[in-house]
């Protein structure tokens, strides 16, 4: 379970998230939508500890992530504790961010071996199994630069899955892809949604995909949740005029 | 060894005067010369293409050999030139080979479309360079030229090899006659720092300001 | 022609001696400079303001005060404080510290040029500092820093000529001695050619390393112009 409690995020004078409160149940798939600058990507980045929390708390399965309340005071947790909690979370980025100095297979096994301490052989077998799942087993020894954008993104998904996260964050994973490459990546993600019970937080502009995989859609505007609903309801009968206009603009 | 502030202050005017008369003179005239020659090298190379290879070898040769040896070489070969003139010539030519590379970076940074547009308008080569390429390229090159000028400035004490009385040489002489090297070299170092650090900061600012 | 050969033959023992001294100063200075550059370059990215400030002060001090002044300081001032260094040590120390400070700017610049996404991904995979540096960031920064370090190494080779001023028998000193017997053109000409060969060989070696690093990353080589611009920023 993920719980955001009174979360505030400011960059200088700009408030990106303004007293945010929401909960995501285990195994739930939640899509975050909203105009750019509405704070949805910031939520994922806060969860992945890529940004510092200005105020408030984030809990993962009841465990505080970066800050905790001790004797009534908000204090930062030790980096080592943060890292322990963070290991439950995986993330796939818009720009793939594969390590160019490693082969596809090495990209995937690097963290399981050196962060989780998995035996090499086991990590390798696991990586090949996951590569099979994303349809790239035969490219295991290829160099990231030899792959198309869509293939790179599928490797990045495999890399995140190899850490066996309980929570997977997908940050506009198809936005950097040529239109004809989007389908394969989404198909892989649909398959993961179908066959696992990983909790997913998704930021995307692919509304059909959001409709297919998510249980709930949150509409953000100016750092707040404007409305939330099941995907069918959100996409066909949004409550707010603002949501209607946003959906019209992107569909 | 104790630090004598009074003595340090007393050598300051003499060092500063050597600094202005020699160090600054060589740096300013040498930089201007290097900037002009560097541009000539860069345009020649770009225009000649592969045929500029011999020029490239000569420039590499100058760039890869030490300034002290070059100073001695020119000084003893042309004994009718004053040491100061030799200094300016050698520093100007040596650093022109570095500045040529910076010009090159500036010229390379011009998008191909600019050349193509100039060709499409049938501009003659000198107009293409003067009106289209150089104004854009120089903008990107200026901070880099400034940085090389600072590097040259810090190399000027090499003039000691041909007996030019620039600041560090004077500092050494004063130190030698008073045995107070600490103060003299500290003051000399500080004068260098006081001149080069603000200029370097200025170049960094300029770099940001001029970036498109 | 035979005159030249005779002169060369007569002077060859000294020339060889001088070349060795120059090479020793080059390798000693370069090794120290590399350590200093990496140390200061990494420390410049420290999360602690105090460390970053300290690094800035050290780097600007060495960058700003000229190699020659630093050498003179080590040579004339340290003995007054009771520290007597052998000329070799003085030379290596001055070259190492000065070019190390320049190099630290190249190292720092290369590390920060590794795309933000790479750093973020190491966080997303919970890698430790050492792990991410060793396996992800450094291998990429390494390819980026080699051209700059290459330029600095050539400058360091040229900087060793300063040693002759302290009567070390380096190449410059030997050629200056030869002038009386062999003439200006021959003596300095030979010295310059040997310097050129040393610089070319080292430069070639680093370019091989760079090509290997780039191949591993599947990247193109930066142009000479781009490299020159980055070097100018480091040495200013």
């Amino acid at each position: 379970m993920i719980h955001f409690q009174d979360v505030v995020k400011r960059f200088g004078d700009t408030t990106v998230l303004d007293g945010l409160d929401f909960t995501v149940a285990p195994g739930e798939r939640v899509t975050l939508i909203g105009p750019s600058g509405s704070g949805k990507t910031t939520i994922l980045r806060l969860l992945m500890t890529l940004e510092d929390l200005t105020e408030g708390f984030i809990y993962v399965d009841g465990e505080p992530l970066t800050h905790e309340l001790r004797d009534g005071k908000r204090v930062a947790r030790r980096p080592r504790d943060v890292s322990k909690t963070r290991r439950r979370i995986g993330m796939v980025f818009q720009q793939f961010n594969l390590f160019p100095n490693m082969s596809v297979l090495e990209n995937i096994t690097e963290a399981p071996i050196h962060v989780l301490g998995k035996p090499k052989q086991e990590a390798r077998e696991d990586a090949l199994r996951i590569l099979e799942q994303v349809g790239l087993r035969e490219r295991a020894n290829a160099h990231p630069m030899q792959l198309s954008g869509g293939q790179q993104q599928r490797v990045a998904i495999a890399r995140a899955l190899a850490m066996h996260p309980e929570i997977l964050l997908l940050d506009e994973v198809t936005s950097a892809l040529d239109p004809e490459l989007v389908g394969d990546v989404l198909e892989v993600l649909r398959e993961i949604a179908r066959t696992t019970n990983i909790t997913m937080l998704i930021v995307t502009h692919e509304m059909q995909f959001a409709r297919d995989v998510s249980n709930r859609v949150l509409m953000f505007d100016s750092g707040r949740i404007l409305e939330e609903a099941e995907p069918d309801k959100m996409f066909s009968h949004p409550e707010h005029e603002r949501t209607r206009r946003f959906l019209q603009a992107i569909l | 060894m104790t630090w004598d502030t009074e003595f340090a202050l007393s050598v300051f005017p003499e060092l500063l005067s050597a600094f202005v008369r020699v160090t600054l003179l060589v740096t300013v005239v040498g930089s201007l010369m290097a900037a002009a020659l560097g541009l000539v090298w860069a345009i020649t190379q770009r225009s000649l293409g592969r045929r500029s290879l011999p020029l490239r070898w000569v420039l590499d040769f100058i760039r890869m050999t030490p300034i002290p040896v070059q100073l001695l070489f020119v000084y003893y070969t042309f004994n009718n030139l004053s040491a100061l003139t030799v200094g300016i010539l050698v520093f100007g030519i040596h650093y022109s080979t570095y500045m040529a590379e910076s010009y090159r970076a500036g010229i390379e940074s011009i998008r191909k479309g600019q050349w193509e547009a100039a060709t499409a308008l049938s501009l003659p080569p000198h107009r293409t360079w003067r009106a289209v390429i150089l104004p854009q390229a120089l903008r990107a090159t200026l901070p880099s030229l400034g940085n090389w000028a600072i590097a040259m400035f810090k190399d000027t004490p090499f003039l000691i090899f041909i007996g030019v009385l620039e600041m560090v040489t004077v500092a050494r002489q004063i130190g030698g006659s008073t045995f107070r090297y600490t103060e003299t070299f500290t003051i000399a170092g500080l004068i260098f720092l006081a001149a080069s650090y603000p200029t370097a900061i200025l170049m960094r600012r300029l770099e940001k300001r001029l970036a498109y | 022609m035979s005159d030249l050969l005779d002169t060369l033959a007569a002077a060859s023992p000294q020339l060889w001696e001088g070349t060795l001294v120059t090479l020793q100063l080059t390798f000693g200075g370069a090794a120290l400079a590399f350590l200093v550059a990496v140390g200061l370059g990494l420390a410049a990215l420290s999360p602690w303001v105090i460390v970053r400030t300290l690094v800035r002060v050290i780097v600007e001090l060495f960058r700003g005060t000229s190699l020659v002044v630093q050498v003179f300081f080590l040579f004339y001032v340290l003995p007054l404080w009771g520290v007597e260094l052998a000329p070799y040590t003085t030379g290596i120390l001055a070259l190492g510290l000065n070019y190390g400070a320049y190099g630290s700017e190249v190292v720092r610049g290369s590390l920060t040029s590794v795309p933000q996404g790479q750093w973020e991904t190491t966080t997303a995979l919970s890698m430790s500092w050492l792990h991410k540096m060793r396996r992800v960031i450094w291998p990429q920064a390494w390819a980026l820093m080699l051209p700059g370090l290459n330029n600095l190494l050539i400058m360091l080779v040229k900087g060793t000529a300063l040693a002759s001023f302290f009567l070390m028998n380096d190449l410059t000193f030997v050629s200056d001695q030869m002038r009386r017997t062999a003439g200006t053109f021959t003596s300095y000409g030979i010295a310059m050619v040997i310097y050129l060969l040393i610089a070319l060989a080292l430069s070639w070696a680093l370019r091989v390393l760079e090509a290997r690093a780039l191949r591993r990353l599947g990247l193109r080589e930066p142009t000479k112009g781009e490299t020159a611009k980055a070097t100018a920023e480091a040495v200013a």
Side-chain angles (χ1 to χ4, degrees):
Chain A
M1 193 181 79
I2 305 164
H3 179 52
F4 275 58
Q5 186 189 323
D6 302 326
V7 166
V8 175
K9 174 62 187 173
R10 278 188 286 265
F11 292 101
D13 293 338
T14 334
T15 304
V16 181
L17 295 176
D18 191 9
L20 194 63
D21 260 297
F22 77 94
T23 304
V24 176
E28 201 182 3
R29 279 72 198 253
V30 177
T31 299
L32 315 178
I33 61 170
S36 64
S38 61
K40 28 192 207 340
T41 289
T42 308
I43 291 172
L44 302 194
R45 293 174 60 83
L46 283 171
L47 257 171
M48 200 67 261
T49 69
L50 298 173
E51 306 283 357
D52 291 324
L53 202 53
T54 314
E55 279 170 40
F57 304 90
I58 299 173
Y59 297 94
V60 176
D61 282 343
E63 237 178 84
L65 182 65
T66 53
H67 293 79
E68 61 188 331
L69 209 53
R70 216 186 288 152
D71 304 330
K73 266 192 171 150
R74 179 174 178 270
V75 289
R77 295 181 81 207
R78 291 184 311 173
R80 201 194 310 171
D81 297 334
V82 175
S83 161
K84 227 157 137 198
T85 311
R86 185 175 51 203
R87 274 177 218 179
R88 302 153 163 257
I89 309 172
M91 182 163 181
V92 183
F93 298 86
Q94 183 178 350
Q95 298 293 342
F96 336 136
N97 296 344
L98 293 183
F99 302 136
N101 53 319
M102 300 178 192
S103 71
V104 165
L105 191 66
E106 285 166 342
N107 258 282
I108 301 172
T109 57
E110 179 66 26
I113 294 172
H114 297 282
V115 176
L116 303 180
K118 244 189 200 182
K120 272 187 188 153
Q121 192 52 35
E122 197 185 317
R124 223 183 105 84
E125 281 162 15
D126 195 40
L128 288 172
R129 191 181 53 73
I130 299 172
L131 269 178
E132 179 87 61
Q133 226 178 313
V134 302
L136 288 171
R137 189 180 162 128
E138 74 284 3
R139 305 311 305 269
N141 293 314
H143 195 277
M145 299 285 170
Q146 298 165 334
L147 305 181
S148 73
Q151 291 173 323
Q152 288 192 45
Q153 192 58 300
R154 276 142 67 196
V155 173
I157 293 168
R159 180 173 68 180
L161 288 179
M163 294 291 276
H164 296 282
E166 295 161 30
I167 300 162
L168 188 61
L169 311 177
L170 304 171
D171 184 14
E172 305 202 25
V173 294
T174 56
S175 299
L177 297 176
D178 290 336
E180 76 271 19
L181 301 175
V182 170
D184 284 348
V185 171
L186 292 184
E187 195 39 56
V188 163
L189 291 173
R190 280 199 182 90
E191 185 64 23
I192 294 164
R194 221 175 5 248
T195 55
T196 69
N197 55 358
I198 300 176
T199 310
M200 291 183 179
L201 256 72
I202 306 162
V203 173
T204 185
H205 295 299
E206 298 287 334
M207 290 305 145
Q208 187 55 46
F209 170 68
R211 198 181 269 243
D212 292 350
V213 298
S214 45
N215 314 99
R216 193 150 54 111
V217 178
L218 304 183
M219 167 74 191
F220 280 81
D221 192 36
S222 319
R224 292 164 178 280
I225 298 173
L226 186 63
E227 68 174 293
E228 57 171 290
E230 286 177 7
D232 281 340
K233 170 149 191 316
M234 178 72 88
F235 292 132
S236 30
H237 308 289
E239 241 169 68
H240 285 75
E241 178 55 28
R242 182 86 191 77
T243 314
R244 206 185 322 266
R245 268 187 288 135
F246 170 73
L247 288 172
Q248 257 167 14
I250 62 165
L251 284 178
Chain B
M1 195 70 206
T2 50
W3 170 265
D4 185 341
T5 309
E6 209 170 303
F7 176 75
L9 288 177
S10 75
V11 299
F12 185 74
E14 202 174 336
L15 291 185
L16 196 63
S17 133
F19 175 79
V20 174
R21 276 185 295 110
V22 182
T23 311
L24 272 191
L25 177 75
V26 172
T27 306
V28 171
V29 182
S31 299
L32 291 175
M33 191 176 147
L37 281 177
L39 183 60
V40 173
W41 307 147
I43 294 179
T44 311
Q45 284 187 307
R46 175 90 195 193
S47 309
L48 291 185
R50 289 190 59 86
R51 279 171 301 155
S52 68
L53 213 55
L55 173 63
R56 159 122 238 123
W57 290 335
V58 173
L59 296 184
D60 279 349
F61 180 79
I62 295 170
R63 201 180 45 239
M64 290 186 165
T65 47
I67 288 176
V69 186
Q70 293 176 357
L71 284 170
L72 289 166
F73 179 79
V74 177
Y75 182 67
Y76 286 113
T77 309
F78 304 96
N79 18 32
N80 50 337
L81 294 180
S82 79
L84 194 62
T85 314
V86 169
I88 291 170
L89 281 176
V90 167
F91 276 106
I93 293 172
H94 191 93
Y95 273 93
S96 75
T97 65
Y98 280 107
M99 288 192 185
E101 301 279 289
S102 292
Y103 281 117
R104 193 160 131 160
I107 295 168
E108 278 168 2
S109 73
I110 308 297
R111 271 169 290 135
K112 220 175 125 200
Q114 297 290 311
W115 293 95
E116 289 171 350
T119 311
L121 294 170
S122 305
L123 289 184
H126 73 273
R127 285 308 296 166
T128 304
W129 279 106
R130 265 198 49 197
V132 183
I133 304 303
L134 287 183
Q136 300 181 58
L138 289 186
R139 212 183 149 91
T141 313
L142 204 58
S144 195
L145 298 184
N147 286 333
W148 288 124
I150 299 170
M152 175 196 290
F153 167 66
K154 288 181 287 186
D155 272 354
T156 50
F158 280 131
L159 288 170
I160 200 169
F161 275 84
I162 50 173
V164 177
L165 284 177
E166 59 66 62
M167 180 178 64
V168 180
T169 320
V170 173
R172 187 163 152 271
Q173 283 179 350
I174 300 175
S177 58
T178 60
F179 286 99
R180 291 212 155 268
Y181 285 114
T182 317
E183 289 86 350
T184 47
F185 284 134
T186 304
I187 294 292
L190 285 178
I191 293 178
F192 262 106
L193 193 62
S196 74
Y197 183 62
T199 321
I201 298 283
L202 192 73
M203 288 306 139
R204 272 174 240 172
R205 291 253 172 87
L206 197 64
E207 170 100 55
K208 280 205 194 102
R209 272 261 304 276
L210 291 184
Y212 281 104
Chain C
M1 190 67 206
S2 71
D3 281 357
L4 179 63
L5 287 180
D6 288 345
T7 324
L8 265 181
S12 64
Q14 289 97 301
L15 274 175
W16 177 239
E17 196 67 28
T19 306
L20 279 184
V21 172
T22 294
L23 281 176
Q24 278 164 339
L25 285 168
T26 300
F27 285 114
L32 180 61
F34 184 68
L35 291 179
V36 171
V38 173
L40 289 178
L42 286 172
L45 299 178
S46 159
W48 295 295
V49 181
I50 179 102
V51 176
R52 290 203 304 268
T53 312
L54 198 67
V55 170
R56 225 32 280 151
V57 170
I58 295 172
V59 170
E60 294 301 347
L61 207 62
F62 278 102
R63 272 165 42 131
T65 55
S66 169
L67 173 66
V68 186
V69 176
Q70 288 157 29
V71 173
F72 280 9
F73 213 91
L74 292 180
F75 197 77
Y76 290 111
V77 177
L78 283 192
L80 299 178
W81 297 351
V83 186
E84 294 267 2
L85 298 176
Y88 259 120
T89 322
T90 306
I92 287 172
L93 208 57
L95 291 167
L97 292 175
N98 189 255
Y99 287 98
Y102 290 146
S104 76
E105 291 285 284
V106 173
V107 171
R108 183 181 59 95
S110 310
L111 287 170
T112 50
S113 298
V114 174
Q116 184 84 22
Q118 296 288 316
W119 295 80
E120 290 184 348
T121 308
T122 60
T123 307
L125 294 172
S126 293
M127 293 181 177
S128 66
W129 184 88
L130 195 67
H131 182 205
K132 79 174 171 201
M133 268 304 154
R134 209 169 57 83
R135 300 276 303 176
V136 179
I137 305 298
W138 185 265
Q140 298 181 56
W142 176 237
L144 297 176
M145 73 179 73
L146 276 168
L149 294 184
N150 199 336
N151 276 351
L152 286 178
L153 182 59
I154 292 174
M155 292 185 191
L156 187 145
V157 172
K158 296 191 292 178
T160 61
L162 204 52
S164 65
F165 210 81
F166 306 106
L167 307 179
M168 284 186 73
N169 283 317
D170 79 329
L171 207 42
T172 304
F173 185 86
V174 170
S175 65
D176 201 36
Q177 297 289 303
M178 270 174 66
R179 179 167 52 88
R180 263 146 241 151
T181 50
T184 306
F185 188 82
T186 313
S187 58
Y188 295 132
I190 290 171
M192 285 197 271
V193 168
I194 297 177
Y195 275 114
L196 178 73
L197 292 178
I198 294 174
L200 283 176
L202 290 174
S203 172
W204 173 80
L206 287 210
R207 271 212 307 280
V208 170
L209 285 183
E210 188 199 339
R212 245 181 46 184
L214 285 173
R215 211 167 38 243
R216 224 173 285 155
L217 299 178
L219 294 176
R220 79 178 172 92
E221 217 175 310
T223 65
K224 279 219 164 111
E226 286 165 354
T227 307
K229 205 161 155 264
T231 312
E233 277 159 29
V235 298

